[in-house]
Amino acid sequence: MSLDESQTIRPADTTTPTHPGTPAPNASRADAPGPNPSRPDAPGPNPSRPDAPGPNPSRPDAPGPNPSRPDAPGADAPGPSPDAPVSGADAQDPGNGAADPEAPSGSGRRSGGWAAVRPLVLRMHFYAGLLIAPLLFIAAGTGLLYALSWQAESIVYSDELTVARVGDGAVPLSTQVRAAQGAAPTGKVIGVWPAPEAADTTRVIMEKPGLAEGETLTVFVDPYTADVRGQLTTAGDALPLRAWLSEFHSSLQLGEFGRNYSELAASWLWVVALGGLALWIGRRRSRRALLVLPDREATGRRKTLSWHGVVGLWAVAGLVALSATGLTWSRYAGENIGQLQDRLGGATPAVSATLGESAESAGAGEHAGHHMPGGAETPPPRPTADIGIDKAVEAARAAGVGDHVRVTLPAEGKGYVVKEQDKQVPVHLDAVAVDPADGKVMDELRFADYPVLAQLTRFGIDLHMGQTFGLANQLALAALAVALMFLVFWGYRMWWLRRPTKDRALSFGRPQPRGAWRKAPVTLLLPLAAVTAVVGWFVPMLGISLIAFLAIDVLLGFVAGRRAAAAGV
């Protein structure tokens, strides 16, 4: 996400136009038009004539670039155009002092294709990087902490998560549940997660008054002795440390308002990443290896640009994936994605645990489930028989659901739900519903039967959270977070290095000039505008912020025009 792709210099037109009857420039002719030090009355810039037109540092009111007049036209003009090749003295790099062999490919005379789109991409990449980069940096920093929280969690909560000694055999789950109820008598057991590994504890999940929405009380029980190892307030499967960091990453602990920051960052990340990729690939370089490897011979700004482009190239796939998966559970874009997924038949299915007629009739009268006057229907009664959690798990294992299971206890009119939760490849996410009256399997759902879109969504979310490949997944997320932070840093550094060094006032590198869209052909501009409008509607935070950027840009252009008019230019 370079803030400085507009630094490449446009060469002066060194070609000499030929036309019948048109004399060629000749330095030996003092009467020839153009600058001539031997003729002080000749038109053109002349340091000996302060009243001559053209740039003159001795006349602050003269038209043209003037460092003493920041409001003069040309003072806010960006650096030379990046869509032209570099040659001659204009190819000197202000940060290196050597000719730049990696100028953008193409000719400034071309008006179609990539040459027409490149200025638009440059301007968007510059402003997006400049204005959204702080949010991207924060998202990367908090994401780095979250990626490391999985390992930190196992260290900080080792007493609760592991047993003191691995025994010969586990006691029944019902015994472990009673031990947990004794440790937290005010809690209501809603689920049990049997120990997935030999050295792990069993988690008994409870609802308890006083907890915030989405929080539960988890009691950790030694499966061999039924001793309670501790209890913690949890959010899903996240213990306090990871739960706090997860909320910090998604909302900066600012609630629903804070979620706008992460959605804005995710909405722009893929745009900035793909734009930067196109700009980097579109550059002309002296050696093909410089596309994928940093230029070790470069110095100054060229060195920073080389690292920025190469690291961005290697990280772009991961950054786009993080952006896409992050948007799936965002507030506004996530809702649109969910609706689109449902319309395409890719909604995530769920196992049905609603009790059937046979279970409803157990212990019920002859009017059970009958319609009452007014259209009301008597609710199915709670089953009077319960086989217990141990037999429910046995029935699930007999049905092929047995790896890292999580058991949801029966509620009103529902049976047991036993789900696999092994999300590492190969995944085990099958689920069954068990009738609490007789232990029969009422419904089953295999992950292989999920719609393709639902499977991809599941894989994407788990990859984003660092679960699919365990430690390797978490290290990859950490590396992407660090890469993104460096990309932001390098982008701002290039912006700083491009500042005019002769001005004493604080200044920065300038963006691609306005009006680039006017040079693009209509056949390219209209489809691009249509795609932008559709994407902006589908990803609202992207669309709203883009409109805000355009409004600010138009306002700045209007102000610059007024200043130029006031200066008499």
Side-chain angles (χ1 to χ4, degrees):
M1 66 223 52
S2 169
L3 299 177
D4 186 52
E5 275 287 349
S6 62
Q7 80 283 355
T8 311
I9 300 186
R10 179 188 293 276
D13 189 358
T14 57
T15 60
T16 303
T18 58
H19 189 275
T22 302
N26 194 328
S28 63
R29 291 187 56 194
D31 59 341
N36 195 325
S38 64
R39 291 190 59 198
D41 58 339
N46 195 322
S48 63
R49 292 188 59 197
D51 59 339
N56 196 325
S58 63
R59 292 190 58 199
D61 59 337
N66 195 323
S68 62
R69 293 187 58 201
D71 60 336
D76 63 341
S81 173
D83 61 342
V86 177
S87 63
D90 287 341
Q92 300 302 318
D93 188 316
N96 185 31
D100 186 358
E102 300 183 23
S105 60
S107 171
R109 294 183 179 272
R110 293 189 303 175
S111 60
W114 172 239
V117 176
R118 180 183 172 85
L120 292 173
V121 177
L122 274 171
R123 191 164 178 83
M124 178 211 66
H125 191 69
F126 177 87
Y127 274 118
L130 181 65
L131 302 176
I132 302 298
L135 300 183
L136 296 177
F137 191 89
I138 294 173
T142 56
L144 173 63
L145 294 177
Y146 180 80
L148 301 177
S149 68
W150 292 89
Q151 303 304 317
E153 193 176 62
S154 62
I155 297 173
V156 174
Y157 304 109
S158 59
D159 290 341
E160 290 84 0
L161 294 174
T162 57
V163 299
R165 185 181 65 86
V166 176
D168 297 330
V171 299
L173 284 175
S174 56
T175 303
Q176 300 178 48
V177 171
R178 286 193 294 269
Q181 289 175 319
T186 59
K188 175 185 176 183
V189 179
I190 58 174
V192 178
W193 300 357
E197 304 293 343
D200 295 337
T201 56
T202 295
R203 301 190 189 188
V204 179
I205 315 301
M206 297 183 177
E207 290 179 343
K208 185 179 180 180
L211 296 179
E213 183 179 359
E215 292 184 343
T216 54
L217 176 69
T218 300
V219 180
F220 300 85
V221 181
D222 188 323
Y224 305 104
T225 63
D227 294 335
V228 174
R229 300 280 294 173
Q231 48 185 293
L232 296 169
T233 300
T234 56
D237 63 349
L239 302 186
L241 174 62
R242 184 157 57 90
W244 191 91
L245 289 175
S246 176
E247 185 67 20
F248 186 54
H249 174 60
S250 62
S251 67
L252 299 179
Q253 293 292 337
L254 297 177
E256 288 297 317
F257 173 78
R259 291 182 63 187
N260 294 328
Y261 117 84
S262 60
E263 183 167 356
L264 189 60
S267 298
W268 277 97
L269 177 57
W270 67 275
V271 178
V272 178
L274 292 180
L277 176 66
L279 292 171
W280 182 246
I281 293 178
R283 292 179 64 84
R284 186 176 63 222
R285 39 189 53 84
S286 59
R287 300 191 308 273
R288 292 184 179 180
L290 296 180
L291 175 68
V292 296
L293 296 175
D295 187 357
R296 299 183 178 275
E297 298 177 359
T299 59
R301 180 175 50 79
R302 280 185 52 217
K303 180 179 180 181
T304 304
L305 174 61
S306 178
W307 279 98
H308 182 92
V310 169
V311 172
L313 177 70
W314 285 102
V316 65
L319 295 178
V320 172
L322 286 178
S323 175
T325 54
L327 287 174
T328 56
W329 65 74
S330 61
R331 185 177 181 181
Y332 301 108
E335 182 177 351
N336 291 336
I337 293 174
Q339 292 177 358
L340 178 62
Q341 186 175 344
D342 292 345
R343 292 174 182 174
L344 295 177
T348 301
V351 65
S352 175
T354 303
L355 296 176
E357 291 183 1
S358 59
E360 292 173 5
S361 61
E366 60 180 354
H367 297 290
H370 288 188
H371 290 275
M372 302 297 289
E377 185 177 353
T378 57
R382 191 177 183 87
T384 57
D386 190 343
I387 59 173
I389 188 173
D390 296 294
K391 291 186 177 180
V393 172
E394 289 180 6
R397 294 187 188 280
V401 178
D403 292 324
H404 296 193
V405 299
R406 297 179 181 180
V407 184
T408 301
L409 271 60
E412 189 73 26
K414 302 287 185 178
Y416 286 96
V417 176
V418 184
K419 296 181 179 181
E420 293 179 329
Q421 290 296 316
D422 185 6
K423 298 178 181 179
Q424 295 192 28
V425 175
V427 298
H428 298 91
L429 296 175
D430 298 342
V432 296
V434 180
D435 193 325
D438 52 18
K440 293 182 179 180
V441 174
M442 300 186 297
D443 189 25
E444 61 181 57
L445 177 63
R446 307 295 173 181
F447 183 71
D449 297 330
Y450 277 36
V452 174
L453 283 178
Q455 291 182 345
L456 293 176
T457 300
R458 181 73 267 167
F459 282 130
I461 292 176
D462 293 340
L463 279 170
H464 190 108
M465 298 182 67
Q467 293 180 290
T468 303
F469 298 107
L471 179 59
N473 196 166
Q474 296 150 24
L475 292 177
L477 289 176
L480 279 176
V482 172
L484 180 55
M485 295 170 73
F486 269 106
L487 289 172
V488 172
F489 169 76
W490 286 325
Y492 276 111
R493 175 172 170 77
M494 286 186 291
W495 183 45
W496 173 256
L497 291 176
R498 278 190 57 244
R499 74 192 190 282
T501 56
K502 294 182 180 180
D503 294 347
R504 294 184 177 180
L506 181 64
S507 57
F508 304 97
R510 300 182 179 107
Q512 177 76 8
R514 295 183 180 91
W517 62 272
R518 297 191 186 99
K519 301 177 182 178
V522 177
T523 54
L524 182 64
L525 192 60
L526 291 181
L528 182 62
V531 171
T532 302
V534 172
V535 174
W537 174 85
F538 192 76
V539 186
M541 295 298 286
L542 175 65
I544 294 172
S545 57
L546 180 59
I547 293 174
F549 291 168
L550 293 176
I552 294 173
D553 196 41
V554 170
L555 179 61
L556 292 177
F558 175 77
V559 172
R562 293 292 298 271
R563 287 180 176 178
V569 179

